[in-house]
Amino acid sequence: MAEGIMKKFYGMDTYVQSAGVHNDMEIDGFSIAVCQEMDVELSRHRSRSFDMMEQWGDDLSSFDLVIALSPASQRRALELTRYFHLDVEYWPIMDPTGLGETRNDKLNSYRQTRDQIIQHLKDRWGEPTEMT
C-alpha cells in the first residue's frame, strides 16, 4: 500500500520500492480493494522481500531511506544497512491481517492501516503534490 500511495501522492520523481521481511508475491486482496477506493492500482503489484532485492541485484546502498512498517522489517533493515550510509525510519503501522470477522470489518481494518500510512506520508513529505 505504501509504495502505491507514495507514487500517487508525490509522483515518479523519487524511486520507491517496497520490500518486506517475507514474500508471498501476491498482494492481499483487501489491500487492493482499499487502495482502489482512492484510485491506487495494486492488482499488478508483486511483493518482494529484502532477500529477493539482494538476489535480483538491487544495491541497498543506492537507497537514501528505508521506512520500516513493522518491528521485524525494522530489525531486518537495520541489519542489512549497518554498513551503508542510509537512514532507517520506523513507522508503527497497524497490521490488519487477521483482524475483523466480516468482510466489511476486514475492509475497515485495512482502511485504518491505509489511513495511517497516508498520515505518515503527509507528516514526512507534506501534502500530496500530485492528484489525490
Side-chain angles (χ1 to χ4, degrees):
M1 283 195 278
E3 177 184 348
I5 296 169
M6 174 86 179
K7 287 176 178 176
K8 173 147 180 93
F9 278 10
Y10 305 104
M12 305 296 265
D13 291 339
T14 301
Y15 180 71
V16 178
Q17 177 62 59
S18 60
V21 177
H22 304 290
N23 170 46
D24 56 11
M25 289 301 281
E26 295 300 320
I27 302 299
D28 185 293
F30 291 110
S31 293
I32 293 170
V34 300
C35 284
Q36 187 65 48
E37 294 173 349
M38 56 181 292
D39 294 323
V40 172
E41 178 59 48
L42 295 183
S43 63
R44 291 185 305 263
H45 185 84
R46 296 292 175 256
S47 64
R48 298 175 7 159
S49 67
F50 286 116
D51 293 336
M52 284 181 73
M53 287 181 69
E54 286 185 315
Q55 290 169 5
W56 292 354
D58 283 332
D59 182 4
L60 291 176
S61 68
S62 67
F63 290 86
D64 297 316
L65 174 66
V66 173
I67 297 173
L69 303 182
S70 72
S73 64
Q74 179 190 28
R75 282 189 303 277
R76 183 69 171 131
L78 289 170
E79 175 185 309
L80 289 169
T81 61
R82 68 179 160 220
Y83 302 110
F84 305 127
H85 182 68
L86 169 62
D87 292 329
V88 176
E89 289 183 16
Y90 171 57
W91 294 355
I93 302 291
M94 178 182 77
D95 180 357
T97 55
L99 298 179
E101 294 294 320
T102 67
R103 183 178 194 286
N104 196 45
D105 290 343
K106 290 178 186 300
L107 285 170
N108 284 332
S109 294
Y110 278 77
R111 287 181 187 115
Q112 287 177 20
T113 297
R114 176 198 63 200
D115 294 346
Q116 288 176 0
I117 291 168
I118 289 170
Q119 190 58 57
H120 279 282
L121 288 170
K122 288 179 177 180
D123 290 346
R124 180 68 163 81
W125 285 284
E127 288 300 314
T129 58
E130 302 290 320
M131 283 181 36
T132 55

